[in-house]
Amino acid sequence: MFAYALVGLSFGTLAISAGLPPAVPILLSLLVFAGSAQFAALGVVLGGGGALAAVAVGLVINARLIAYSFAVRDALGAGSATRLAGAHLITDVNTALVLGARDPERPQALFWRAGIAVFAVWNIAVAAGVAFGGRIADTQALGLDAVLPAILFGLIRPALNDGPTARACLAGASLAVLTLPWLPAGAPVLLSLAGLAVGLPPAQR
């Protein structure tokens, strides 16, 4: 939660420092609720791109949530309204927690508690960043962009003890890094899924 607070504060501050109206980062955080997509959309706008380009980049980056939704569907609970609300709360963190749960009774509680906590902390932090405005001169100098990846690596680290999984992750990560300079934002992440063909047997793909 502390990491999300730092990154949310950074997003709110960057958005206001760039001259966006306060309502824009706040509504983005409430309605989109996807940190990487929000930063990417902000980057497109600051780079001179239009709203459609920003939306397209966000959709590409968030396409990974399609795979996440299959992974956590049993943890969302029953009922259309409940599942719709749960879909909005899917994040990298609660997906990792659900997949790492050993007790079959825990995934639902882990998903909802982590999802609600992250949603609350993220939005409060973004609002705080908006309130601070341009008081922080250089947020990127603080290295906040490295906080969440470090946490996610810690969450998936036990799974890397499995040989096929480790090979798939290494192949996917290598592919993403190699194509990063040439592909649009978000595309290398999707392309990294091809690593599954290297590491996992057909039955597990």
Side-chain angles (χ1 to χ4, degrees):
M1 294 307 102
F2 180 69
Y4 270 102
L6 288 177
V7 181
L9 181 67
S10 174
F11 175 75
T13 303
L14 283 172
I16 291 301
S17 299
L20 293 180
V24 172
I26 290 175
L27 286 175
L28 267 177
S29 298
L30 287 170
L31 301 177
V32 178
F33 182 49
S36 55
Q38 291 177 220
F39 273 102
L42 180 62
V44 169
V45 172
L46 296 183
L52 289 179
V55 169
V57 168
L59 288 174
V60 170
I61 292 177
N62 277 352
R64 73 189 190 284
L65 298 179
I66 297 174
Y68 289 5
S69 67
F70 286 108
V72 303
R73 64 185 183 274
D74 293 334
L76 266 61
S80 299
T82 300
R83 296 175 74 82
L84 184 62
H88 190 57
L89 297 178
I90 295 175
T91 66
D92 302 283
V93 169
N94 58 1
T95 299
L97 288 173
V98 167
L99 293 177
R102 297 290 181 262
D103 184 347
E105 302 298 324
R106 294 193 68 198
Q108 188 168 351
L110 286 171
F111 175 86
W112 283 100
R113 290 174 185 174
I116 292 171
V118 169
F119 183 81
V121 168
W122 175 258
N123 282 281
I124 291 171
V126 169
V130 169
F132 278 114
R135 297 181 186 178
I136 301 176
D138 186 3
T139 54
Q140 295 196 13
L142 300 177
L144 298 182
D145 55 338
V147 176
L148 281 181
I151 290 175
L152 292 173
F153 179 77
L155 289 172
I156 68 167
R157 176 61 187 86
L160 298 180
N161 292 327
D162 176 66
T165 301
R167 286 194 296 272
C169 289
L170 180 61
S174 300
L175 193 58
V177 170
L178 289 173
T179 58
L180 189 61
W182 297 282
L183 294 181
V189 176
L190 296 178
L191 189 60
S192 69
L193 293 174
L196 295 174
V198 176
L200 299 182
Q204 297 182 31
R205 292 175 191 167

